Amino acid sequence: MADASANQVVTSKSKNPMKELQLEKLCINICVGESGDKLTRAAKVLESLTGQQPVFRKARYTVRSFGIRRNEKIAVCCTVRGPKALEILERGLKVKEYELYKESFSTSGNFGFGIEEHIDLGIKYDPTIGIYGMDFYAVMGRKGFRIARRKRKQSRVGAPHRNSRTETMKWFQQQYDGVLNTGKPKNVSRNRPNKKKRSCQKRTSLSTAAVSITF
């Protein structure tokens, strides 16, 4: 009897409509690195893809090696929700042949990928605009996440109700018959090992100095 009741609890939890994963929003970003005609053409690409007015993003600080000034418009982005977001996401995954790396999924249950040419999405090539690449980032969620964003009586989403990385990967495989690959190279800073070495050298030098003082 106890086993039967436990199985009923598991099946009821799996069929719970509040636990179903859904796409909350899709963020599409095109970073040009400079302002001017190139950025306005990228905005036209996003507008033709989403049917919405894109938003321009500014640089946070000055980088002389890249020729970027602080508060200069260097990128354009757009946020899509609802059935339009699902449609654009499927077009983007079709370009990737429904294959993503496991490292593309974050611990919070979201995932992202990039596309090199926007004409692969079915947009007609325009020689006056050119070809642009773009980044897709899908934010997943469940029913009930609104309690963390509402103004009155705001509360936290419980840990059992939050979406995890494994659940999103399973949703991707079931929803789109997706394939998960491994072996994506990680972005590791070259300065970190040097800093560790320096700290070790400082410690060894201090220890040798202490030894010489004691003698």
Side-chain angles (χ1 to χ4, degrees):
M1 292 291 291
D3 295 337
S5 61
N7 291 332
Q8 286 179 359
V9 170
V10 170
T11 53
S12 64
K13 282 185 178 180
S14 61
K15 293 181 180 178
N16 187 0
M18 295 291 289
K19 296 286 286 184
E20 292 179 2
L21 274 177
Q22 57 186 7
L23 181 67
E24 284 199 346
K25 61 182 178 180
L26 179 67
C27 304
I28 308 171
N29 178 62
I30 299 177
C31 185
V32 177
E34 61 183 24
S35 58
D37 295 338
K38 198 173 181 181
L39 189 62
T40 54
R41 289 197 296 267
K44 288 181 181 178
V45 170
L46 270 187
E47 190 174 357
S48 63
L49 176 64
T50 61
Q52 300 176 190
Q53 190 70 27
V55 179
F56 292 95
R57 310 294 290 181
K58 296 179 181 179
R60 290 186 294 175
Y61 44 80
T62 303
V63 182
R64 291 185 179 179
S65 58
F66 294 138
I68 297 172
R69 298 189 306 273
R70 187 170 179 267
N71 291 329
E72 181 186 3
K73 294 179 181 179
I74 58 170
V76 64
C77 68
C78 196
T79 304
V80 191
R81 292 179 174 85
K84 186 73 175 176
L86 286 169
E87 178 196 344
I88 297 172
L89 178 62
E90 189 166 2
R91 287 162 68 181
L93 290 172
K94 191 175 180 181
V95 175
K96 303 294 287 185
E97 296 179 352
Y98 300 100
E99 292 185 6
L100 292 178
Y101 287 101
K102 287 184 179 180
E103 289 80 7
S104 300
F105 293 80
S106 66
T107 54
S108 57
N110 308 322
F111 66 96
F113 57 93
I115 290 175
E116 294 182 357
E117 297 181 357
H118 73 276
I119 55 175
D120 294 334
L121 297 169
I123 302 172
K124 190 177 179 182
Y125 173 71
D126 189 355
T128 59
I129 293 176
I131 295 176
Y132 287 89
M134 59 185 67
D135 300 322
F136 285 72
Y137 195 75
V139 180
M140 306 298 295
R142 286 193 173 103
K143 293 179 180 178
F145 276 27
R146 176 182 166 273
I147 63 169
R149 297 190 294 263
R150 62 190 180 187
K151 292 184 179 179
R152 292 184 70 251
K153 296 184 178 180
Q154 198 176 65
S155 181
R156 292 177 60 189
V157 179
H161 196 64
R162 295 177 199 151
N163 51 331
S164 63
R165 181 187 179 193
T166 53
E167 288 174 339
T168 306
M169 288 194 289
K170 190 176 179 182
W171 175 87
F172 167 68
Q173 289 176 321
Q174 292 177 350
Q175 193 81 6
Y176 298 102
D177 294 330
V179 179
L180 294 173
N181 299 325
T182 55
K184 184 178 180 182
K186 296 181 180 179
N187 295 326
V188 181
S189 177
R190 296 179 180 177
N191 298 324
R192 287 181 183 176
N194 296 334
K195 288 182 180 178
K196 288 181 180 178
K197 287 180 182 178
R198 287 174 186 171
S199 61
C200 293
Q201 287 175 359
K202 285 181 180 179
R203 287 177 185 173
T204 53
S205 60
L206 288 171
S207 62
T208 52
V211 170
S212 62
I213 289 167
T214 52
F215 281 111

